[in-house]
Amino acid sequence: MDYQAYFKDALDALHAERRYRVFADIERVVGRYPHAVRHTPEGPKPVVLWCSNDYLGMGHHPDVVEAMAGTARRMGAGAGGTRNISGTHHPMVELEAELADLHGKDAALVFTSGYVSNDTGISTIAKLIPDVQILSDSLNHNSMIEGVRRSGADKRIFRHNDLDHLEDLLKAAGKQRPKLIVFESVYSMDGDVSPIGRICDLAEKYGAMTYIDEVHAVGLYGERGAGVAERDGEMGRLDVIEGTLGKAFGCLGGYIASSATIVDAVRSYAPGFIFTTALPPAIAAAACASVRHLKASGAERARHQDRVARTKAKIADAGLPQLETPTHIVPVMVGDAELCKAASDRLLTVHGIYIQPINYPTVPRGTERLRITPTPHHDDALIDALVAALDEVWTHLGIPRRALPVAAE
């Protein structure tokens, strides 16, 4: 039995579909973000990052770096165990208190990643509600989809941001049946925003519980960086708010914030929380420093929005097929997997600009794109250089400059 052949065939299929993923060996340099070094067989080469989820550059903020380094010197490298077995260190306790305060909730619970917080959070919550029906947005992240699937609960998928469809499903479930609506605030590939308040209206009307993923919004929106729900004044109406520490906060980990009872129930029943080693104290301390800073400072958010607006305007002026969004996500549409990969490669090798191609299954086939994420640290010169490079690549490769429709799968 040639077991290796199965895996080779699977990889060959990815190559044939032009969606095999190649990792860039990147070394970010503190104090020079978004400038970095790319390691290649020919030696190190300079590169400018234009696709990082470290949206505000907080991973390089002096307070965050010092919190991590100082805590590691004081407490060591690892947590030493699961949360139940010696892993509930003091920086973690402080971090969870900061996150609960950020979202105006009784309690918060930190997981090893945003993926795990969704997967195990949704599945555990649903398993604890007898006969619950989950109503899930069609464009929810894979971590949410897996959480819904692993719950084993009855589910219904509503068309993306389609409130009429959601209401039809809520009506069909009946007021007496427990219901859980799971959705995101910012959808990271198309950059659109959910109608949080109107979803909460429906949840209240039909007796449903709400679970929102704010991973692409925490740190970036709201007076204290709690997300779109804070910005829109809807945070108190949501039952569970999920977020990440690995994007705008610049660190690692995921979390949920909710009532003390819900958090305690997840803490007590979730396998993805119980049976895994806790985040190291240094990471928790760094995340705590980042959350505290962004609660108090709006300067990073203001500068970020300014840079996003300028980037969008310059791309539009160049006649490139930009998908218009109300958020910090800037998708430039290609519409072909092979051309998308070629565009990314040319930007990297010719222009020293790193933007990872986004292909299926992350986005539907035919909507392949470059997903650009400006930061407060991208100055005017870097923006101008990006747009000039995109213009050259589009011309060189003959990529259409008309915007392509985005169809949900």
Side-chain angles (χ1 to χ4, degrees):
M1 183 70 71
D2 184 4
Y3 288 104
Q4 295 298 317
Y6 295 120
F7 304 106
K8 184 178 183 303
D9 289 346
L11 291 171
D12 287 345
L14 291 178
H15 282 288
E17 295 176 20
R18 300 294 190 267
R19 59 188 186 93
Y20 178 78
R21 300 183 182 194
V22 178
F23 296 155
D25 183 354
I26 301 294
E27 181 179 332
R28 303 200 308 165
V29 182
V30 172
R32 299 199 62 236
Y33 188 70
H35 296 276
V37 174
R38 179 171 68 100
H39 293 277
T40 74
E42 295 78 32
K45 297 183 178 180
V47 65
V48 178
L49 304 180
W50 271 101
C51 62
S52 174
N53 283 339
D54 188 357
Y55 293 130
L56 300 178
M58 289 301 294
H60 289 182
H61 192 281
D63 292 349
V64 176
V65 174
E66 182 50 40
M68 178 175 281
T71 303
R73 284 191 294 267
R74 188 175 75 253
M75 298 183 66
T82 65
R83 290 291 298 274
N84 186 51
I85 305 175
S86 81
T88 299
H89 46 77
H90 191 59
M92 182 71 79
V93 173
E94 291 184 311
L95 173 59
E96 288 177 339
E98 287 289 344
L99 292 169
D101 174 76
L102 176 67
H103 293 290
K105 301 297 184 186
D106 296 336
L109 193 67
V110 169
F111 298 80
T112 50
S113 74
Y115 192 102
V116 174
S117 58
N118 267 336
D119 184 3
T120 201
I122 291 170
S123 61
T124 302
I125 288 167
K127 284 177 180 178
L128 293 174
I129 306 173
D131 194 36
V132 70
Q133 183 180 88
I134 300 177
L135 301 107
S136 179
D137 189 286
S138 62
L139 291 190
N140 277 343
H141 189 263
N142 178 264
S143 59
M144 304 178 81
I145 294 169
E146 282 299 300
V148 171
R149 184 187 65 80
R150 289 204 312 110
S151 75
D154 180 35
K155 70 175 186 295
R156 297 290 184 272
I157 309 301
F158 62 93
R159 291 185 293 272
H160 177 54
N161 279 348
D162 188 329
L163 297 180
D164 291 335
H165 190 206
L166 175 58
E167 184 165 19
D168 288 344
L169 295 174
L170 288 165
K171 282 180 183 175
K175 282 195 174 183
Q176 299 308 309
R177 185 176 189 182
K179 297 170 288 294
L180 175 64
I181 304 171
V182 296
F183 63 107
E184 300 183 40
S185 62
V186 174
Y187 289 85
S188 64
M189 289 301 131
D190 290 351
D192 58 335
V193 176
S194 62
I196 298 172
R198 294 167 68 196
I199 290 174
C200 288
D201 291 341
L202 290 176
E204 291 165 4
K205 182 177 179 180
Y206 292 98
M209 183 176 169
T210 51
Y211 179 109
I212 188 171
D213 172 318
E214 286 254 42
V215 299
H216 290 278
V218 289
L220 301 173
Y221 300 95
E223 185 178 351
R224 299 198 306 160
V228 175
E230 182 193 27
R231 183 197 69 184
D232 294 351
E234 305 290 354
M235 201 159 53
R237 302 174 71 193
L238 294 157
D239 292 297
V240 183
I241 298 173
E242 186 267 350
T244 184
L245 303 167
K247 293 182 170 61
F249 292 127
C251 297
L252 176 70
Y255 64 89
I256 60 169
S258 187
S259 69
T261 301
I262 290 174
V263 168
D264 196 18
V266 174
R267 180 191 71 86
S268 300
Y269 281 90
F273 175 82
I274 295 169
F275 298 106
T276 191
T277 301
L279 287 178
I283 290 176
C288 199
S290 184
V291 172
R292 284 173 178 163
H293 177 85
L294 290 175
K295 279 182 182 179
S297 172
E300 291 83 3
R301 286 187 285 279
R303 172 70 174 174
H304 183 231
Q305 289 300 313
D306 174 80
R307 299 292 83 195
V308 169
R310 190 178 194 278
T311 302
K312 288 179 175 180
K314 290 293 183 177
I315 289 174
D317 290 345
L320 293 161
Q322 176 181 199
L323 182 65
E324 293 186 12
T325 80
T327 63
H328 58 284
I329 309 296
V330 186
V332 180
M333 306 304 289
V334 179
D336 177 90
E338 192 163 359
L339 278 176
C340 197
K341 177 67 166 60
S344 174
D345 288 346
R346 185 168 180 83
L347 283 168
L348 187 60
T349 58
V350 175
H351 299 282
I353 290 172
Y354 177 46
I355 308 174
Q356 184 71 9
I358 306 295
N359 296 331
Y360 178 84
T362 306
V363 296
R365 288 185 176 92
T367 68
E368 292 82 5
R369 68 200 65 183
L370 300 179
R371 176 182 175 273
I372 296 168
T373 55
T375 76
H377 304 281
H378 287 94
D379 61 21
D380 288 358
L382 288 178
I383 294 172
D384 293 344
L386 166 71
V387 175
L390 289 170
D391 186 68
E392 188 278 334
V393 167
W394 250 249
T395 299
H396 181 84
L397 296 177
I399 303 173
R401 290 179 182 252
R402 58 181 175 79
L404 297 163
V406 177
E409 284 201 339

PDB file of all heavy atoms in Angstrom, residues 179-183 199-200 203-204 208-212 237-241:
ATOM      1  N   LYS A 179     -32.815  29.238  20.129  1.00  0.00           N
ATOM      2  CA  LYS A 179     -32.160  29.585  18.855  1.00  0.00           C
ATOM      3  C   LYS A 179     -30.881  30.369  19.149  1.00  0.00           C
ATOM      4  O   LYS A 179     -30.854  31.190  20.071  1.00  0.00           O
ATOM      5  CB  LYS A 179     -33.107  30.424  17.982  1.00  0.00           C
ATOM      6  CG  LYS A 179     -34.369  29.676  17.573  1.00  0.00           C
ATOM      7  CD  LYS A 179     -35.379  30.588  16.932  1.00  0.00           C
ATOM      8  CE  LYS A 179     -36.040  31.528  17.933  1.00  0.00           C
ATOM      9  NZ  LYS A 179     -36.875  30.832  18.936  1.00  0.00           N
ATOM     10  N   LEU A 180     -29.858  30.134  18.335  1.00  0.00           N
ATOM     11  CA  LEU A 180     -28.570  30.829  18.468  1.00  0.00           C
ATOM     12  C   LEU A 180     -28.182  31.394  17.116  1.00  0.00           C
ATOM     13  O   LEU A 180     -27.989  30.641  16.153  1.00  0.00           O
ATOM     14  CB  LEU A 180     -27.492  29.859  18.964  1.00  0.00           C
ATOM     15  CG  LEU A 180     -26.059  30.388  19.038  1.00  0.00           C
ATOM     16  CD1 LEU A 180     -25.945  31.525  20.048  1.00  0.00           C
ATOM     17  CD2 LEU A 180     -25.090  29.258  19.377  1.00  0.00           C
ATOM     18  N   ILE A 181     -28.085  32.723  17.024  1.00  0.00           N
ATOM     19  CA  ILE A 181     -27.666  33.384  15.780  1.00  0.00           C
ATOM     20  C   ILE A 181     -26.166  33.644  15.877  1.00  0.00           C
ATOM     21  O   ILE A 181     -25.695  34.304  16.806  1.00  0.00           O
ATOM     22  CB  ILE A 181     -28.410  34.714  15.567  1.00  0.00           C
ATOM     23  CG1 ILE A 181     -29.931  34.498  15.594  1.00  0.00           C
ATOM     24  CG2 ILE A 181     -27.985  35.347  14.238  1.00  0.00           C
ATOM     25  CD1 ILE A 181     -30.723  35.811  15.601  1.00  0.00           C
ATOM     26  N   VAL A 182     -25.410  33.123  14.905  1.00  0.00           N
ATOM     27  CA  VAL A 182     -23.959  33.329  14.896  1.00  0.00           C
ATOM     28  C   VAL A 182     -23.579  34.099  13.636  1.00  0.00           C
ATOM     29  O   VAL A 182     -23.959  33.730  12.527  1.00  0.00           O
ATOM     30  CB  VAL A 182     -23.179  31.994  15.006  1.00  0.00           C
ATOM     31  CG1 VAL A 182     -23.459  31.320  16.330  1.00  0.00           C
ATOM     32  CG2 VAL A 182     -23.519  31.042  13.880  1.00  0.00           C
ATOM     33  N   PHE A 183     -22.827  35.182  13.812  1.00  0.00           N
ATOM     34  CA  PHE A 183     -22.478  36.048  12.685  1.00  0.00           C
ATOM     35  C   PHE A 183     -21.235  36.854  13.022  1.00  0.00           C
ATOM     36  O   PHE A 183     -20.774  36.851  14.160  1.00  0.00           O
ATOM     37  CB  PHE A 183     -23.652  36.970  12.328  1.00  0.00           C
ATOM     38  CG  PHE A 183     -24.046  37.947  13.409  1.00  0.00           C
ATOM     39  CD1 PHE A 183     -23.746  39.292  13.292  1.00  0.00           C
ATOM     40  CD2 PHE A 183     -24.742  37.526  14.548  1.00  0.00           C
ATOM     41  CE1 PHE A 183     -24.107  40.210  14.270  1.00  0.00           C
ATOM     42  CE2 PHE A 183     -25.099  38.427  15.543  1.00  0.00           C
ATOM     43  CZ  PHE A 183     -24.793  39.764  15.401  1.00  0.00           C
ATOM     44  N   ILE A 199     -30.059  42.751  13.614  1.00  0.00           N
ATOM     45  CA  ILE A 199     -30.006  41.340  13.994  1.00  0.00           C
ATOM     46  C   ILE A 199     -30.416  41.177  15.448  1.00  0.00           C
ATOM     47  O   ILE A 199     -31.165  40.254  15.806  1.00  0.00           O
ATOM     48  CB  ILE A 199     -28.605  40.752  13.733  1.00  0.00           C
ATOM     49  CG1 ILE A 199     -28.355  40.649  12.218  1.00  0.00           C
ATOM     50  CG2 ILE A 199     -28.456  39.370  14.381  1.00  0.00           C
ATOM     51  CD1 ILE A 199     -26.957  40.210  11.834  1.00  0.00           C
ATOM     52  N   CYS A 200     -29.960  42.090  16.301  1.00  0.00           N
ATOM     53  CA  CYS A 200     -30.376  42.055  17.707  1.00  0.00           C
ATOM     54  C   CYS A 200     -31.883  42.279  17.843  1.00  0.00           C
ATOM     55  O   CYS A 200     -32.536  41.660  18.701  1.00  0.00           O
ATOM     56  CB  CYS A 200     -29.616  43.105  18.510  1.00  0.00           C
ATOM     57  SG  CYS A 200     -27.873  42.708  18.774  1.00  0.00           S
ATOM     58  N   ALA A 203     -33.400  39.014  17.092  1.00  0.00           N
ATOM     59  CA  ALA A 203     -33.123  38.072  18.183  1.00  0.00           C
ATOM     60  C   ALA A 203     -34.073  38.316  19.356  1.00  0.00           C
ATOM     61  O   ALA A 203     -34.619  37.374  19.950  1.00  0.00           O
ATOM     62  CB  ALA A 203     -31.676  38.195  18.629  1.00  0.00           C
ATOM     63  N   GLU A 204     -34.302  39.583  19.692  1.00  0.00           N
ATOM     64  CA  GLU A 204     -35.202  39.910  20.791  1.00  0.00           C
ATOM     65  C   GLU A 204     -36.648  39.585  20.438  1.00  0.00           C
ATOM     66  O   GLU A 204     -37.410  39.078  21.281  1.00  0.00           O
ATOM     67  CB  GLU A 204     -35.041  41.385  21.151  1.00  0.00           C
ATOM     68  CG  GLU A 204     -33.682  41.692  21.789  1.00  0.00           C
ATOM     69  CD  GLU A 204     -33.359  43.181  21.830  1.00  0.00           C
ATOM     70  OE1 GLU A 204     -34.232  43.984  21.425  1.00  0.00           O
ATOM     71  OE2 GLU A 204     -32.245  43.536  22.253  1.00  0.00           O
ATOM     72  N   ALA A 208     -34.105  34.711  20.474  1.00  0.00           N
ATOM     73  CA  ALA A 208     -32.859  34.032  20.092  1.00  0.00           C
ATOM     74  C   ALA A 208     -31.680  34.611  20.869  1.00  0.00           C
ATOM     75  O   ALA A 208     -31.697  35.765  21.309  1.00  0.00           O
ATOM     76  CB  ALA A 208     -32.607  34.164  18.595  1.00  0.00           C
ATOM     77  N   MET A 209     -30.667  33.797  21.032  1.00  0.00           N
ATOM     78  CA  MET A 209     -29.402  34.211  21.629  1.00  0.00           C
ATOM     79  C   MET A 209     -28.463  34.643  20.500  1.00  0.00           C
ATOM     80  O   MET A 209     -28.551  34.123  19.376  1.00  0.00           O
ATOM     81  CB  MET A 209     -28.822  33.029  22.403  1.00  0.00           C
ATOM     82  CG  MET A 209     -27.543  33.289  23.142  1.00  0.00           C
ATOM     83  SD  MET A 209     -27.073  31.796  24.086  1.00  0.00           S
ATOM     84  CE  MET A 209     -25.401  32.256  24.556  1.00  0.00           C
ATOM     85  N   THR A 210     -27.564  35.593  20.765  1.00  0.00           N
ATOM     86  CA  THR A 210     -26.647  36.094  19.732  1.00  0.00           C
ATOM     87  C   THR A 210     -25.192  35.812  20.089  1.00  0.00           C
ATOM     88  O   THR A 210     -24.791  35.922  21.249  1.00  0.00           O
ATOM     89  CB  THR A 210     -26.823  37.603  19.526  1.00  0.00           C
ATOM     90  OG1 THR A 210     -26.764  38.267  20.795  1.00  0.00           O
ATOM     91  CG2 THR A 210     -28.146  37.912  18.841  1.00  0.00           C
ATOM     92  N   TYR A 211     -24.422  35.470  19.053  1.00  0.00           N
ATOM     93  CA  TYR A 211     -22.977  35.221  19.175  1.00  0.00           C
ATOM     94  C   TYR A 211     -22.320  35.943  18.006  1.00  0.00           C
ATOM     95  O   TYR A 211     -22.571  35.616  16.843  1.00  0.00           O
ATOM     96  CB  TYR A 211     -22.702  33.721  19.118  1.00  0.00           C
ATOM     97  CG  TYR A 211     -21.235  33.318  19.215  1.00  0.00           C
ATOM     98  CD1 TYR A 211     -20.729  32.693  20.350  1.00  0.00           C
ATOM     99  CD2 TYR A 211     -20.354  33.534  18.151  1.00  0.00           C
ATOM    100  CE1 TYR A 211     -19.401  32.314  20.434  1.00  0.00           C
ATOM    101  CE2 TYR A 211     -19.022  33.165  18.223  1.00  0.00           C
ATOM    102  CZ  TYR A 211     -18.556  32.547  19.368  1.00  0.00           C
ATOM    103  OH  TYR A 211     -17.238  32.168  19.439  1.00  0.00           O
ATOM    104  N   ILE A 212     -21.491  36.942  18.310  1.00  0.00           N
ATOM    105  CA  ILE A 212     -20.854  37.728  17.254  1.00  0.00           C
ATOM    106  C   ILE A 212     -19.341  37.555  17.280  1.00  0.00           C
ATOM    107  O   ILE A 212     -18.716  37.544  18.347  1.00  0.00           O
ATOM    108  CB  ILE A 212     -21.222  39.224  17.371  1.00  0.00           C
ATOM    109  CG1 ILE A 212     -20.725  40.011  16.149  1.00  0.00           C
ATOM    110  CG2 ILE A 212     -20.676  39.822  18.660  1.00  0.00           C
ATOM    111  CD1 ILE A 212     -21.240  41.441  16.092  1.00  0.00           C
ATOM    112  N   ARG A 237     -26.377  44.502  23.904  1.00  0.00           N
ATOM    113  CA  ARG A 237     -27.491  43.659  23.447  1.00  0.00           C
ATOM    114  C   ARG A 237     -27.017  42.278  22.990  1.00  0.00           C
ATOM    115  O   ARG A 237     -27.846  41.397  22.742  1.00  0.00           O
ATOM    116  CB  ARG A 237     -28.237  44.342  22.304  1.00  0.00           C
ATOM    117  CG  ARG A 237     -28.787  45.713  22.658  1.00  0.00           C
ATOM    118  CD  ARG A 237     -29.387  46.383  21.449  1.00  0.00           C
ATOM    119  NE  ARG A 237     -30.630  45.735  21.035  1.00  0.00           N
ATOM    120  CZ  ARG A 237     -31.229  45.963  19.867  1.00  0.00           C
ATOM    121  NH1 ARG A 237     -30.666  46.797  18.991  1.00  0.00           N
ATOM    122  NH2 ARG A 237     -32.355  45.346  19.561  1.00  0.00           N
ATOM    123  N   LEU A 238     -25.716  42.091  22.874  1.00  0.00           N
ATOM    124  CA  LEU A 238     -25.168  40.827  22.379  1.00  0.00           C
ATOM    125  C   LEU A 238     -24.874  39.892  23.540  1.00  0.00           C
ATOM    126  O   LEU A 238     -24.323  40.305  24.561  1.00  0.00           O
ATOM    127  CB  LEU A 238     -23.894  41.092  21.579  1.00  0.00           C
ATOM    128  CG  LEU A 238     -24.111  41.875  20.281  1.00  0.00           C
ATOM    129  CD1 LEU A 238     -22.823  42.563  19.847  1.00  0.00           C
ATOM    130  CD2 LEU A 238     -24.632  40.956  19.178  1.00  0.00           C
ATOM    131  N   ASP A 239     -25.211  38.623  23.366  1.00  0.00           N
ATOM    132  CA  ASP A 239     -25.006  37.660  24.450  1.00  0.00           C
ATOM    133  C   ASP A 239     -23.552  37.226  24.574  1.00  0.00           C
ATOM    134  O   ASP A 239     -23.019  37.138  25.679  1.00  0.00           O
ATOM    135  CB  ASP A 239     -25.892  36.428  24.220  1.00  0.00           C
ATOM    136  CG  ASP A 239     -27.363  36.763  24.365  1.00  0.00           C
ATOM    137  OD1 ASP A 239     -27.764  37.157  25.466  1.00  0.00           O
ATOM    138  OD2 ASP A 239     -28.100  36.650  23.370  1.00  0.00           O
ATOM    139  N   VAL A 240     -22.911  36.940  23.443  1.00  0.00           N
ATOM    140  CA  VAL A 240     -21.511  36.496  23.452  1.00  0.00           C
ATOM    141  C   VAL A 240     -20.750  37.281  22.399  1.00  0.00           C
ATOM    142  O   VAL A 240     -21.174  37.350  21.236  1.00  0.00           O
ATOM    143  CB  VAL A 240     -21.377  34.982  23.167  1.00  0.00           C
ATOM    144  CG1 VAL A 240     -19.912  34.553  23.255  1.00  0.00           C
ATOM    145  CG2 VAL A 240     -22.231  34.160  24.128  1.00  0.00           C
ATOM    146  N   ILE A 241     -19.635  37.869  22.801  1.00  0.00           N
ATOM    147  CA  ILE A 241     -18.746  38.572  21.867  1.00  0.00           C
ATOM    148  C   ILE A 241     -17.437  37.808  21.825  1.00  0.00           C
ATOM    149  O   ILE A 241     -16.811  37.559  22.860  1.00  0.00           O
ATOM    150  CB  ILE A 241     -18.500  40.027  22.308  1.00  0.00           C
ATOM    151  CG1 ILE A 241     -19.820  40.811  22.318  1.00  0.00           C
ATOM    152  CG2 ILE A 241     -17.483  40.700  21.386  1.00  0.00           C
ATOM    153  CD1 ILE A 241     -19.695  42.218  22.895  1.00  0.00           C
TER     154      ILE A 241
END
